[in-house]
């Protein structure tokens, strides 16, 4: 009798294991199973919320790179009193996170995979310039002054205050010329500190949107579309006291090497397989070059000469993972 009991338990466990491994959906070549441990990525748009998931209860912060188990709930179809279908059956997917045991995170799985908000591949990579730092809006004015493209003008001072995001301070100096004059000396000192700290010898990067042509199987990669003579798009502080940088260079990146299997994964994941144009995102690496006989013309538009070093191409705007390939500027 005991042997029969052991056999029954073995069969039961075996059946449960098979059921747990039954595929629930396949998305762009990646198969998911119930109970899979999935890793949450970053929001598709930097600085914004997640587009493809949210809490079923409350409004809690979604923890990036946390792991949750995949669950599903089937909503049965509903009929009205005449027997007509009101709601078709539907399937909702959830991620159950151990740090939130009483709440479930609803995830639109197909869209989450497509936008990289649920990870299905390793995220580690080595960028072209690991030491590079992002050129932030608060760096624009200090960079211009340090490189010799402008001086401590009133426009530069106010643009710098604006770039810091201190709304109260900005409103006070814009609302009263007397208040601005009272604070001007202190603001100049603050800007001078930022100029002193800005390092012209460092490598900086700008994050930009790119388009690529069809995959080139002969050269194994993508032609990268950049405007001739310019790093794609200018950077600036868009407001009344604006300062706009146009990084200009004689170099460009004409091609980014990407293995064929990696390119296929990319096109499948973002849904552009078979298209003539693919949208990607990149970090463009630059070093500032000192101004040569620059004369202030009052336009606040600065053609800043930079040494364009290269490009890292990624699938998503945050440029944090899903690296496609790199290209040196020439």
């Amino acid at each position: 009798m005991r042997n029969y009991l052991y056999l029954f338990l073995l069969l039961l466990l075996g059946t449960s294991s098979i059921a747990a491994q039954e595929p629930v959906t396949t998305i762009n070549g990646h198969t998911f199973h119930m109970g899979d441990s999935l890793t949450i990525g970053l929001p598709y748009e930097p600085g914004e919320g997640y587009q493809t998931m949210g809490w079923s209860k409350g409004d809690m912060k979604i923890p990036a790179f946390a792991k949750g188990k995949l669950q599903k709930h089937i909503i049965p179809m509903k009929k009205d009193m005449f027997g007509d279908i009101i709601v078709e059956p539907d399937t909702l997917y959830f991620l159950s996170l151990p740090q939130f045991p009483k709440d479930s995170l609803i995830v639109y799985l197909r869209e989450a995979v497509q936008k990289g908000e649920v990870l299905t591949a390793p995220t580690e990579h080595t960028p072209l310039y690991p030491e590079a730092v992002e050129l932030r809006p608060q760096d624009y004015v200090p960079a211009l002054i340090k490189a010799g493209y402008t001086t401590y003008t009133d426009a530069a001072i106010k643009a710098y205050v604006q770039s810091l995001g201190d709304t109260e301070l900005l409103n006070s100096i814009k609302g009263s010329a007397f208040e601005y004059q009272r604070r001007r000396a202190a603001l100049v000192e603050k800007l001078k500190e930022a100029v002193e700290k800005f390092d012209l010898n460092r490598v900086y990067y700008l994050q930009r949107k790119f388009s690529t042509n069809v995959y080139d199987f002969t050269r194994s990669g993508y032609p990268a579309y950049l405007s001739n003579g310019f790093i794609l798009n200018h950077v600036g502080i868009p407001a009344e006291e604006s300062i706009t940088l146009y990084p200009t260079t004689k170099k460009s990146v004409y091609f980014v090497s990407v293995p064929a299997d990696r390119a296929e994964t990319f096109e499948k994941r973002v849904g552009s397989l078979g298209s003539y144009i693919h949208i990607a995102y990149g970090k463009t690496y630059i070093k500032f070059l000192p101004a040569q006989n620059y004369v202030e013309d009052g336009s606040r538009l600065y053609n800043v000469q930079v040494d364009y070093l290269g490009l890292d191409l990624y699938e998503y705007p945050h440029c944090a993972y899903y690296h496609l390939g790199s290209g040196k500027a020439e």
Side-chain angles (χ1 to χ4, degrees):
M1 182 68 183
R2 182 178 298 174
N3 291 336
Y4 284 115
L5 180 59
Y6 287 155
L7 179 60
F8 174 76
L9 289 173
L10 183 61
L11 289 173
L12 181 62
L13 289 172
T15 303
S16 300
S17 177
I18 292 171
Q21 291 302 311
E22 181 183 355
V24 292
T25 186
T26 300
I27 299 173
N28 297 337
H30 187 93
T31 302
F32 294 88
H33 301 82
M34 290 300 300
D36 279 354
S37 179
L38 304 185
T39 303
I40 299 172
L42 293 170
Y44 178 77
E45 291 285 354
E48 301 292 333
Y50 287 87
Q51 298 181 8
T52 63
M53 61 185 80
W55 293 106
S56 59
K57 302 175 185 176
D59 184 21
M60 297 178 291
K61 183 178 179 181
I62 299 175
F65 301 111
K67 293 182 181 294
K69 287 190 176 181
L70 182 63
Q71 300 177 346
K72 73 175 179 179
H73 174 69
I74 298 177
I75 302 173
M77 70 178 181
K78 296 181 180 179
K79 296 183 179 182
D80 60 16
M81 59 185 297
F82 302 105
D84 295 324
I85 296 175
I86 302 174
V87 180
E88 293 281 358
D90 196 8
T91 301
L92 285 180
Y93 290 102
F94 298 86
L95 291 182
S96 177
L97 281 71
Q99 59 267 58
F100 302 111
K102 294 182 180 180
D103 296 274
S104 293
L105 184 64
I106 300 174
V107 56
Y108 298 94
L109 198 54
R110 181 172 298 278
E111 294 81 0
V113 170
Q114 186 174 357
K115 291 182 177 292
E117 294 188 346
V118 163
L119 301 178
T120 58
T123 59
E124 297 77 13
H125 69 282
T126 302
L128 202 56
Y129 292 92
E131 74 279 13
V133 296
E134 184 175 8
L135 186 70
R136 305 162 302 167
Q138 55 264 45
D139 298 322
Y140 299 163
V141 176
L144 285 169
I145 296 176
K146 191 69 171 278
Y149 288 93
T150 189
T151 56
Y152 295 91
T153 64
D154 289 334
I157 295 167
K158 292 178 182 179
Y160 177 66
V161 173
Q162 177 192 305
S163 72
L164 297 177
D166 189 334
T167 305
E168 183 178 350
L169 175 59
L170 182 64
N171 289 339
S172 68
I173 64 174
K174 287 176 66 176
S176 169
F178 297 99
E179 182 66 16
Y180 172 67
Q181 289 301 323
R182 278 193 291 270
R183 291 176 175 258
R184 190 180 189 282
L187 294 174
V188 169
E189 288 303 312
K190 187 178 184 68
L191 178 53
K192 283 183 177 180
E193 290 179 10
V195 172
E196 183 65 27
K197 291 179 181 178
F198 190 84
D199 188 354
L200 283 181
N201 296 316
R202 294 201 72 164
V203 177
Y204 294 90
Y205 68 82
L206 303 168
Q207 293 182 198
R208 289 294 174 262
K209 188 176 183 179
F210 290 83
S211 62
T212 70
N213 207 333
V214 294
Y215 186 80
D216 188 329
F217 287 94
T218 302
R219 300 175 63 192
S220 298
Y222 290 106
Y225 282 85
L226 302 177
S227 301
N228 290 333
F230 291 88
I231 295 175
L232 197 65
N233 296 338
H234 66 274
V235 292
I237 305 170
E240 184 179 337
E241 299 295 341
S242 63
I243 290 289
T244 303
L245 281 70
Y246 286 92
T248 61
T249 174
K250 296 179 180 179
K251 293 182 178 180
S252 189
V253 175
Y254 300 99
F255 194 81
V256 176
S257 297
V258 182
D261 57 346
R262 179 68 186 89
E264 183 180 21
T265 301
F266 158 58
E267 293 182 19
K268 283 182 177 180
R269 182 158 31 227
V270 301
S272 65
L273 188 66
S275 300
Y276 290 102
I277 294 178
H278 310 284
I279 300 301
Y281 301 85
K283 288 183 177 180
T284 52
Y285 299 99
I286 62 171
K287 287 185 74 172
F288 283 90
L289 299 176
Q292 300 294 327
N293 302 319
Y294 192 84
V295 178
E296 186 99 41
D297 63 4
S299 68
R300 303 182 193 169
L301 305 177
Y302 299 91
N303 291 316
V304 181
Q305 294 296 317
V306 299
D307 184 12
Y308 185 20
L309 303 175
L311 163 70
D312 271 318
L313 205 61
Y314 296 83
E315 293 187 26
Y316 301 119
H318 50 62
C319 297
Y321 50 76
Y322 287 2
H323 180 250
L324 285 168
S326 306
K328 288 278 192 178
E330 56 185 46

